[in-house]
């Protein structure tokens, strides 16, 4: 259980900014800037942060849906960033993704059975005689009915479409599934059903999840380890229990203070951040968060804080703890 399914080292993803008739590169948007983490087998790793911090880019890059700028991603003992497309193909079944919008990620011209089974046929995972039964079994494990196999995406509700996307990911029997905000487009009651389905599938199949979200209450429920991102970098990472009880970074504290509590008698000590999010094309010097940090010191404006372990696997990048 301590085996790492995936190890990401110093991942960078920069998008070039081009200008002029010749489209010369005049700068870079640093969407992901030197990120490292690892995920153990059968673990759920939560990645949180506000919109635009680089969460989705990490998920897409480690699957090579987007090519990285620099870094390593070790899966099954191989650095997939160094592999050619032909060498990467056998590993595609080991890693899958569930996108945020279930409708736009489904081909409207294909029936559900074909959507779920397309990759199964492409990789020759089951025989032709067993194909239909295999797809039906996958659908039933995701709480879809056998008669849904010949229907089209527009005939389903949002929750059912997301179940189709999960079934498509499960069909190739992966080790790692990247869940890119899989419930943010759904009603609250349906969100609970999908989250419980994911936990049930994980327990039965030993799946490993990278769960990307901006909803800390959902992340707290499903994740075992949580990493907080800000402007392309991880600023704090710890086990769920440690991070929610002993929050260190000022940005993490601000995020947690914004989580609503369903009790009118509890008064939240809300942290209101001042200013706007800096541009990832021109991040501030020193600590990236210093322009909005309520605890900003003079050294924060010039010196990049060291990202280190403060005990019990609790990592943080903040000058407040380097005194």
């Amino acid at each position: 259980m301590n085996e790492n399914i995936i190890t990401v080292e110093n991942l960078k993803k920069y998008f070039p900014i081009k200008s002029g008739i010749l489209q010369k590169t005049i700068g870079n948007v640093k969407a992901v800037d030197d990120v490292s983490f690892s995920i153990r087998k059968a673990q759920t790793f939560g990645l949180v942060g506000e919109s635009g911090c680089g969460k989705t880019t990490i998920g897409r890059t480690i699957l090579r849906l987007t090519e990285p700028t620099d870094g390593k991603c070790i899966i099954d003992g191989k650095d997939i960033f160094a592999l050619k497309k032909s060498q990467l193909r056998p590993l595609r079944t080991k890693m899958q993704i569930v996108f945020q919008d279930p409708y736009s990620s489904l081909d409207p011209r294909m029936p559900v059975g074909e959507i779920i089974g397309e990759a199964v046929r492409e990789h020759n995972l089951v025989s032709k005689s067993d194909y239909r039964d295999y797809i039906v079994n996958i659908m039933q494990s995701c709480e879809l009915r056998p008669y849904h196999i010949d229907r089209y995406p527009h005939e389903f509700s949002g929750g059912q479409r997301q179940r189709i996307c999960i079934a498509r990911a499960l069909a190739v029997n992966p080790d790692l599934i990247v869940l890119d905000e899989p419930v943010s487009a759904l009603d609250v009651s349906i969100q609970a059903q999908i989250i419980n389905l994911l936990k049930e599938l994980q327990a039965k199949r030993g799946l490993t999840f990278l769960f990307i979200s901006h909803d800390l209450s959902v992340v707290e429920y499903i994740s075992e380890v949580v990493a907080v991102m800000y402007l392309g970098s991880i600023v704090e990472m710890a086990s769920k229990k440690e991070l929610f009880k002993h929050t260190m970074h000022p940005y993490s504290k601000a995020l947690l203070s914004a989580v609503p509590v369903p009790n009118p008698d509890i008064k939240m000590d809300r942290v209101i951040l001042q200013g706007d999010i800096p541009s990832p094309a021109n991040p501030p010097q020193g600590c990236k968060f210093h322009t909005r940090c309520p605890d900003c010191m003079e050294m924060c404006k010039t010196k990049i804080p060291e990202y280190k372990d403060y005990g019990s696997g609790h990592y943080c990048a903040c000058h407040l703890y380097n005194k």
Side-chain angles (χ1 to χ4, degrees), residues 166-181:
I166 294 170
R168 177 175 59 183
L170 285 180
V172 293
N173 196 25
D175 294 327
L176 170 71
I177 300 181
V178 175
L179 300 164
D180 184 12
E181 304 204 32

Side-chain angles (χ1 to χ4, degrees), residues 42-112:
Q43 184 184 64
T44 300
F45 185 94
L47 194 58
V48 301
E50 56 198 340
S51 297
C53 70
K55 308 184 299 295
T56 295
T57 303
I58 285 180
R60 295 179 66 90
T61 304
I62 64 176
L63 300 184
R64 289 252 328 244
L65 299 179
T66 301
E67 292 298 321
T69 301
D70 195 12
K72 293 182 179 180
C73 181
I74 312 298
I75 295 177
D76 200 24
K78 300 175 183 177
D79 179 8
I80 68 167
F81 292 167
L83 299 179
K84 297 178 181 178
K85 289 188 176 180
S86 58
Q87 297 172 311
L88 182 62
R89 192 175 186 276
L91 291 175
R92 285 294 184 192
T93 58
K94 294 182 177 292
M95 46 190 186
Q96 291 292 300
I97 186 169
V98 175
F99 295 100
Q100 178 177 356
D101 184 358
Y103 190 62
S104 62
S105 61
L106 299 174
D107 190 335
R109 298 169 296 180
M110 292 175 66
V112 166

Side-chain angles (χ1 to χ4, degrees), residues 230-257:
Y230 182 78
L231 213 63
S233 301
I234 292 179
V235 296
E236 186 170 5
M237 180 171 66
S239 66
K240 172 180 67 177
K241 184 177 178 181
E242 176 69 18
L243 188 135
F244 280 83
K245 283 194 173 182
H246 304 105
T247 313
M248 295 178 66
H249 199 278
Y251 177 64
S252 304
K253 292 177 181 178
L255 284 183
L256 286 172
S257 74

Side-chain angles (χ1 to χ4, degrees), residues 38-40 43-47 209 211 219 222-227 237-241 243 313:
S38 59
I39 310 176
R40 296 197 314 272
Q43 184 184 64
T44 300
F45 185 94
L47 194 58
F209 293 149
F211 191 88
V219 169
I222 196 173
S223 302
E224 295 163 60
V225 176
V226 180
M237 180 171 66
S239 66
K240 172 180 67 177
K241 184 177 178 181
L243 188 135

